[in-house]
Amino acid sequence: MIESKHYYDFTNELSADEIYEGLLAHGLFTEKLPPVFTAKAFFNYCKSKSPAFPKKPANYIYHESMRNINTPRPFGIPNPAAFQCLCKYISEIWPQLQQYFEEETKGQKHIISRTHIRKMKESDSLFSMNYKNWKDDGTPEPDLLLGARYLVHADVSNCFPSIYTHALSWALVGKDVAKQNQRDSSQWYNELDFLTRNVKHGETHGLLIGPHVSNLLSEIILVKIDKILYDKGWRYIRNIDDYTCYVSTYEGGQLFLTELSEQLRAYDLTLNHKKTSIDELPTASVEQWVRKINTFTAFDTKEWMNFKEVRAYLDMAIELMQENNDNAAILNYAMKVLAKKQLTENAKSYYVKTIFHLSVIYPYLVSLLEEYVFKPFGVEKSEISKLSALLYNEGVKLKNYEAVCYALYYANKYEFEIRELDFEVAKNSNNCLFLLFSYLYYEKKKDKAAVKLCKDYARSLIATEMDNFWLFIYEALAQSDLRDYWKAMKKNKVSFLVEI
């Protein structure tokens, strides 16, 4: 097997200061949001002022993002004060965590966990779902395949929302020690548990999906399970909570699932049996649809594509999507391929209109439009405006507030109107991000009456709903309206928005 980095090499090359900055400045907001959010100013404020935020439970902003299979995934944006306390403490105990990760992974000949916290080239963030560096990570699959006749696929059911915060201590020091000392707040692992709970309103079950710290915390438990299974002879790779194990017999595959399930149960986790399978080898090294779509483009060595070629390519992508349970990731892939091509005028017009049509049916594509359609093909503002009006109306009707927020974001960035916007609708949505983007839209349009409505409503939420709506309230109101640490942050001109 080709020598590559070990898992612990990635954690050991990060200093305590780097883990703090990476998690706090670049890991508060999920990448699934419109690109207007940043925690850099907040991090700089924390670094220079060292504010003593209260260590108490705080609620979080709830929002949803559409998956590639057209179902929503819940995300959370934590209260920044509770989040800072957690990130700061992780930086303080980082040497203990580095030692833990090294002890749990040092005997492994390949990196089991393929998606984890790390330094990345050309990014200040410490985590990305799709980041790969084959030189550092190695490619263990060909070696793991040797002698294998079956491939086992397994997935943890509802992984992040199911993680029990006390299980962090169980993994770090053992369940017996953790339970004996569970009331001892001076123990570092109990403080980690406590601060993790505070980010999610004091709840013991569930990590928020979105903040990068959740990926680090989940690894504390999952690498412990990896070590046990590896030491028993199982050879597999894992992407977050998605397992691929290589076995010589079907019975071996069943035994792996039994032992994996047993180890997960020790931490109050379970397998998602709908995503569990044992498949006979050989199978293709990539999904079949990827091979098919690449076969099509492999014959096209031209830089330019005409109308017939683009239409054929999109038709094939749509057919493949329909054959694969309406998996819009196939359209995502196709969009990224075509964004690198030069299209004739007829081809460009057809392509843009088709993708706009598909993005209304599959809202998962909406977040990709700017990078892979608007910019590379110079889409006219009038066309973006028509699409945004449609996204807004469909989003309100279906309560898909992610699409609504993107429509308002596009309206602000490309400077057109969303005449359908009604602040009463935003209020009734009970959605923080819808409210925030409505406020930003009215501010951009200098609609004083509507801005006043926003500010009045933000003031009415302060007493009882600050945590659930903190982004809207904090960004809409002046220092004089705010309380406690929010007032101090505003005084120091901290904002969580970038100019667009």
Side-chain angles (χ1 to χ4, degrees):
M1 195 171 292
I2 297 172
E3 188 68 24
S4 60
K5 277 188 173 184
H6 297 284
Y7 183 97
Y8 58 82
D9 290 325
F10 293 99
T11 50
N12 285 349
E13 70 183 8
L14 285 165
S15 68
D17 288 342
E18 288 170 330
I19 199 76
Y20 179 48
E21 181 172 359
L23 293 178
L24 185 57
H26 309 288
L28 175 62
F29 298 105
T30 173
E31 296 79 6
K32 295 292 184 180
L33 295 168
V36 301
F37 299 103
T38 178
K40 290 181 184 177
F42 177 63
F43 167 77
N44 290 334
Y45 167 71
C46 294
K47 188 176 180 181
S48 62
K49 301 295 184 181
S50 300
F53 292 124
K55 292 183 179 181
K56 63 180 183 180
N59 221 326
Y60 59 94
I61 296 169
Y62 176 87
H63 69 103
E64 294 177 343
S65 179
M66 199 62 69
R67 306 178 205 228
N68 58 305
I69 53 173
N70 247 20
T71 59
R73 182 191 299 275
F75 282 87
I77 305 174
N79 169 293
F83 189 68
Q84 187 272 343
C85 290
L86 174 59
C87 294
K88 181 64 175 167
Y89 190 68
I90 286 174
S91 74
E92 292 170 2
I93 62 168
W94 188 234
Q96 290 102 304
L97 291 176
Q98 286 176 311
Q99 182 180 356
Y100 170 79
F101 284 122
E102 181 163 355
E103 289 175 351
E104 298 304 318
T105 63
K106 64 183 177 183
Q108 296 162 5
K109 293 183 179 179
H110 72 279
I111 302 172
I112 295 173
S113 175
R114 315 300 291 175
T115 312
H116 50 77
I117 296 290
R118 61 165 80 195
K119 285 185 179 181
M120 290 188 287
K121 295 179 180 178
E122 301 176 358
S123 175
D124 294 321
S125 174
L126 298 182
F127 181 81
S128 172
M129 282 294 295
N130 300 312
Y131 184 83
K132 292 179 176 64
N133 185 327
W134 302 117
K135 182 178 179 181
D136 288 343
D137 299 345
T139 52
E141 291 89 343
D143 295 288
L144 297 176
L145 275 167
L146 193 62
R149 292 185 177 273
Y150 292 88
L151 208 56
V152 186
H153 295 283
D155 189 90
V156 180
S157 180
N158 212 21
C159 184
F160 280 20
S162 299
I163 285 180
Y164 187 44
T165 63
H166 294 341
L168 297 170
S169 299
W170 300 351
L172 289 166
V173 297
K175 188 176 285 190
D176 290 342
V177 172
K179 289 195 171 185
Q180 288 170 10
N181 298 305
Q182 61 184 348
R183 299 187 185 280
D184 186 352
S185 60
S186 67
Q187 298 292 343
W188 66 274
Y189 46 86
N190 285 336
E191 182 72 0
L192 178 64
D193 175 4
F194 170 68
L195 295 173
T196 300
R197 279 182 276 135
N198 282 355
V199 168
K200 198 165 179 280
H201 209 213
E203 296 175 12
T204 56
H205 271 92
L207 302 178
L208 295 182
I209 299 174
H212 294 172
V213 72
S214 295
N215 299 93
L216 175 61
L217 294 170
S218 67
E219 285 291 284
I220 291 173
I221 295 170
L222 297 176
V223 299
K224 174 67 76 172
I225 293 172
D226 290 341
K227 176 172 172 53
I228 294 170
L229 294 174
Y230 187 92
D231 289 349
K232 287 188 173 187
W234 298 110
R235 296 296 177 260
Y236 62 91
I237 58 174
R238 173 173 59 80
N239 285 287
I240 312 292
D241 61 336
D242 185 357
Y243 295 77
T244 303
C245 184
Y246 301 78
V247 295
S248 58
T249 65
Y250 187 87
E251 292 74 20
Q254 291 178 311
L255 182 57
F256 170 74
L257 290 173
T258 298
E259 296 204 359
L260 173 59
S261 183
E262 180 182 339
Q263 295 306 322
L264 290 170
R265 280 200 307 273
Y267 294 94
D268 283 3
L269 298 171
T270 59
L271 281 179
N272 181 350
H273 293 289
K274 292 181 180 179
K275 292 187 177 180
T276 297
S277 65
I278 304 174
D279 302 316
E280 190 171 6
L281 291 168
T283 63
S285 59
V286 294
E287 289 191 65
Q288 191 176 26
W289 65 262
V290 175
R291 288 189 294 109
K292 285 184 177 180
I293 207 165
N294 282 344
T295 299
F296 183 95
T297 54
F299 292 105
D300 178 32
T301 57
K302 298 183 299 181
E303 183 183 356
W304 284 85
M305 291 181 71
N306 63 32
F307 171 81
K308 287 184 178 180
E309 291 166 332
V310 169
R311 183 175 62 180
Y313 185 67
L314 283 179
D315 285 349
M316 181 190 61
I318 292 169
E319 286 176 12
L320 286 171
M321 183 186 66
Q322 292 170 342
E323 291 170 5
N324 288 271
N325 302 312
D326 274 355
N327 181 1
I330 296 169
L331 292 177
N332 177 346
Y333 189 92
M335 288 168 65
K336 291 177 179 178
V337 170
L338 288 176
K340 298 175 182 176
K341 300 286 185 181
Q342 298 291 327
L343 308 186
T344 63
E345 284 304 312
N346 283 345
K348 185 190 301 182
S349 176
Y350 173 79
Y351 173 64
V352 170
K353 289 176 181 178
T354 302
I355 291 298
F356 282 9
H357 161 69
L358 292 169
S359 66
V360 176
I361 300 172
Y362 301 99
Y364 162 76
L365 302 176
V366 172
S367 64
L368 306 169
L369 292 175
E370 186 168 31
E371 184 175 358
Y372 298 110
V373 183
F374 298 172
K375 290 180 180 179
F377 300 111
V379 179
E380 295 288 336
K381 181 170 76 172
S382 59
E383 295 302 309
I384 301 173
S385 176
K386 290 176 188 175
L387 172 66
S388 297
L390 191 55
L391 289 174
Y392 178 87
N393 289 328
E394 286 292 304
V396 167
K397 183 170 67 176
L398 300 175
K399 297 186 177 181
N400 177 4
Y401 298 122
E402 177 184 35
V404 169
C405 290
Y406 268 98
L408 293 170
Y409 160 69
Y410 294 144
N412 269 3
K413 179 156 187 182
Y414 297 97
E415 298 184 335
F416 55 78
E417 293 185 12
I418 299 283
R419 292 195 175 96
E420 298 82 356
L421 177 59
D422 182 343
F423 186 66
E424 285 301 312
V425 175
K427 277 175 61 175
N428 293 335
S429 74
N430 204 37
N431 183 279
C432 176
L433 296 183
F434 187 2
L435 287 164
L436 174 64
F437 279 96
S438 298
Y439 165 71
L440 296 175
Y441 175 87
Y442 291 133
E443 272 276 310
K444 183 91 171 181
K445 294 292 181 284
K446 295 182 169 54
D447 186 334
K448 292 182 180 179
V451 167
K452 184 178 184 303
L453 286 175
C454 293
K455 290 179 179 290
D456 288 345
Y457 186 57
R459 290 186 192 97
S460 75
L461 294 172
I462 289 178
T464 58
E465 300 286 349
M466 185 69 199
D467 288 343
N468 303 76
F469 293 87
W470 68 264
L471 260 173
F472 166 60
I473 296 169
Y474 179 79
E475 295 296 342
L477 296 182
Q479 175 189 338
S480 57
D481 291 313
L482 297 169
R483 308 170 183 176
D484 307 321
Y485 55 83
W486 301 104
K487 181 185 286 287
M489 287 162 54
K490 200 78 173 190
K491 181 180 179 181
N492 282 272
K493 296 181 170 50
V494 173
S495 176
F496 294 89
L497 301 172
V498 296
E499 289 189 21
I500 58 173

